[in-house]
Amino acid sequence: MTIHLLKCFGATPGGGNPALVVEHDTGTETERQQFARERQVSACVFIDRQPDGAIVLDYFYPHTRSPLCLHATLAAAHVLLAAPGAPASVTVRTAMRGQSLMLARRGADLLIGLAPQTAPSVEIERYLPSELMGQHMHLASPPVVASIGSPKLLLEVADSTTLRALRPNLELIADWGRLHGVNGCYVYCKLADGHYEGRNFNHPDPAMEDSATGVAAGALALHLQQSLSLSQGHVTQQPCLIRVEYAEGEIWVGGMVQSST
């Protein structure tokens, strides 16, 4: 087994959301989940090379297996594309749903190309955002569920002050998400300069809040039907920057990857 610890989507040198990339592992799903639980890193991705040459990515958070995690995918792209003689791009697929992902390098950034996915059809009751957030919510736009592979409930608030002060009901979010096939809430706001800031609420432990959530940034670009840049990680003190390029039928999510010492 070979293990790489990387930081992804960092906005500053040495920053970013950590991920473990594991190569040459033959463990079972149960063993991989135990590995992720013991490491307590925000995400682990196992690179499985198939006999036919295909590359499969298998994602685990400390508390659950995941169909897709883009900051872990970005870390895997760093490993796959940095090797001597590696190609400029490579296509992989996900373990749980067989989703195709294109991994590529552009200058200092790594990029993940993927197609929009069908989101669960969920009736969002008027009171739901307030219940999930544990306070009365004045949303800036109607809530919506969108997906590029891991569905998110998107909630827009007025400003970053409101966003950063949120202390949601994480247990209720997890229960609601399991019931409807939605992987947590992504709360965001539009900043004065036209960029966006967001927070992801998915992990039941508030100490494990994600510092960068690529699937949510992609889902937001899909919902807004526009390219965007999104800041995350202010609350976790790991400032991150996610760039999303939107085109009809195609989304590219990219950012920096740095080795962690």
Side-chain angles (χ1 to χ4, degrees):
M1 181 188 295
T2 304
I3 303 172
H4 312 266
L5 176 59
L6 301 161
K7 287 190 173 181
C8 308
F9 294 119
T12 57
N17 204 20
L20 287 175
V21 181
V22 184
E23 299 182 278
H24 315 301
D25 173 72
T26 58
T28 65
E29 179 182 334
T30 299
E31 290 168 337
R32 289 181 171 185
Q33 186 64 76
Q34 180 64 26
F35 175 91
R37 187 177 300 113
E38 291 173 350
R39 295 314 186 276
Q40 286 295 302
V41 174
S42 60
C44 298
V45 57
F46 294 82
I47 298 177
D48 295 324
R49 293 175 170 83
Q50 306 300 305
D52 63 358
I55 299 174
V56 176
L57 302 184
D58 198 6
Y59 307 96
F60 289 83
Y61 301 135
H63 65 294
T64 190
R65 193 183 188 200
S66 177
L68 182 64
C69 174
L70 288 195
H71 89 271
T73 303
L74 209 68
H78 176 86
V79 172
L80 292 169
L81 299 179
S89 64
V90 63
T91 299
V92 302
R93 70 173 187 267
T94 63
M96 287 183 68
R97 297 181 181 168
Q99 183 178 359
S100 179
L101 309 173
M102 174 70 78
L103 312 182
R105 183 178 292 279
R106 182 187 300 164
D109 281 0
L110 289 162
L111 298 171
I112 306 161
L114 64 176
Q117 303 294 302
T118 301
S121 179
V122 181
E123 182 180 354
I124 304 171
E125 297 88 349
R126 179 177 54 84
Y127 57 83
L128 179 68
S130 296
E131 285 198 346
L132 296 180
M133 292 299 111
Q135 65 183 68
H136 185 66
M137 296 293 291
H138 294 282
L139 296 181
S141 62
V144 65
V145 176
S147 178
I148 58 168
S150 181
K152 295 288 181 182
L153 173 61
L154 303 177
L155 305 175
E156 184 182 7
V157 296
D159 51 46
S160 58
T161 300
T162 303
L163 177 70
R164 296 175 185 181
L166 290 172
R167 298 295 181 268
N169 187 331
L170 297 174
E171 184 176 350
L172 184 60
I173 290 172
D175 290 343
W176 181 86
R178 280 191 292 268
L179 181 63
H180 296 285
V182 177
N183 295 323
C185 297
Y186 197 75
V187 188
Y188 69 96
C189 65
K190 188 172 184 177
L191 304 177
D193 60 2
H195 293 192
Y196 290 82
E197 181 178 350
R199 291 178 68 188
N200 187 60
F201 302 117
N202 186 24
H203 198 286
D205 180 357
M208 294 295 291
E209 180 177 331
D210 225 1
S211 295
T213 314
V215 291
L220 179 58
L222 174 62
H223 167 56
L224 298 176
Q225 297 189 343
Q226 68 177 60
S227 300
L228 56 84
S229 62
L230 185 147
S231 297
Q232 193 176 331
H234 179 275
V235 172
T236 61
Q237 299 182 345
Q238 284 288 348
C240 291
L241 180 63
I242 307 170
R243 301 179 182 88
V244 187
E245 298 174 11
Y246 170 83
E248 187 174 353
E250 183 179 68
I251 292 173
W252 287 87
V253 179
M256 292 284 293
V257 179
Q258 304 171 75
S259 297
S260 180
T261 55

